[in-house]
Amino acid sequence: MIYPSGPHPEDLRRGAGQRLEATLRALGVGPDGVDPLPAGPAGAPPDAPGYQRMRRGVTIRTPPPGIDVFAVTADLWRQGLCQVTESRTPHGRTLIGHDPSGYELVLTAGDRLDLVVTSPPVPRKQDHGAVIGIVVGTVVGPAVSCLSFIAAANGASLPGAGLESTLLAWAWVPVLLVIGGALLVSPSTRRFGTGLMIGVAATGIIISGFCSSLLAWH
């Protein structure tokens, strides 16, 4: 099946949240009456290859007293022009609504009362950050190791500077750890930071090891 490119994932995530909150308001359930579910609730159908769905879900801790949760929910969804179906199993009841925008709303009652809203599918964004980081790292690695070697070679000419000059040849390592660690903090730069550290380490260690042997021989 071929899906359209669709809106931005953040818009779909917001749309799922709006539908979830509207249903909870109709039931009279406040934010303190629910527990959030993981982004991919257990039992959720797998996404099609290359596509993803935005999901928002909660467990309603205590159903509102005096109302039929399923009847109120079904009425609300039908007012939103959803196609609503209900089924019963030995494990409980399930109410499913499909709205005109392609969202799927599911209310299940069994051991607990769960409400999950799933967005239409959108193509997964291909993240090439790790590959770009490795490419950049293979360029930066030789550069920083050579600069460290030049500084170490200049220091080696001073009397009694053997060990210090060797350590100076590896001065780029703590710098790499600081920069790489900073990039790993943010999810948006984590893959690039990982690739950068791999690329710099792979090339820098080889060159610095060779340079250290030259300094030791010198």
Side-chain angles (χ1 to χ4, degrees):
M1 179 179 294
I2 299 176
Y3 297 110
S5 59
H8 192 276
E10 190 58 38
D11 295 330
L12 295 176
R13 187 177 292 107
R14 188 179 304 110
Q18 291 171 346
R19 287 160 174 79
L20 184 78
E21 293 165 3
T23 303
L24 293 174
R25 281 196 304 270
L27 294 173
V29 177
D32 56 345
V34 299
D35 294 318
L37 289 173
D47 296 329
Y51 289 84
Q52 62 180 335
R53 295 173 183 264
M54 306 298 113
R55 293 181 175 87
R56 288 286 306 276
V58 295
T59 294
I60 301 175
R61 288 198 295 266
T62 304
I67 68 170
D68 186 333
V69 173
F70 278 77
V72 172
T73 302
D75 183 61
L76 172 70
W77 291 353
R78 289 191 178 100
Q79 291 178 24
L81 303 180
C82 294
Q83 295 182 355
V84 180
T85 59
E86 183 176 355
S87 62
R88 294 175 181 266
T89 69
H91 303 289
R93 301 169 64 184
T94 300
L95 187 70
I96 301 177
H98 292 92
D99 82 354
S101 298
Y103 287 84
E104 181 182 75
L105 304 89
V106 180
L107 179 66
T108 57
D111 296 334
R112 62 188 190 188
L113 187 61
D114 289 347
L115 175 63
V116 178
V117 180
T118 305
S119 77
V122 290
R124 290 185 181 275
K125 181 181 179 182
Q126 298 299 318
D127 187 355
H128 301 292
V131 175
I132 296 174
I134 291 175
V135 172
V136 173
T138 56
V139 175
V140 173
V144 295
S145 58
C146 286
L147 288 175
S148 295
F149 172 69
I150 293 173
N154 291 333
S157 61
L158 300 176
L163 178 60
E164 289 79 1
S165 61
T166 301
L167 293 177
L168 192 57
W170 295 89
W172 60 269
V173 175
V175 177
L176 169 65
L177 293 176
V178 171
I179 296 175
L183 292 172
L184 294 178
V185 171
S186 173
S188 61
T189 58
R190 188 168 296 157
R191 292 178 65 84
F192 174 78
T194 301
L196 179 68
M197 294 180 70
I198 292 173
V200 173
T203 55
I205 288 175
I206 294 174
I207 294 178
S208 291
F210 176 73
C211 293
S212 296
S213 63
L214 289 179
L215 288 173
W217 176 81
H218 175 75

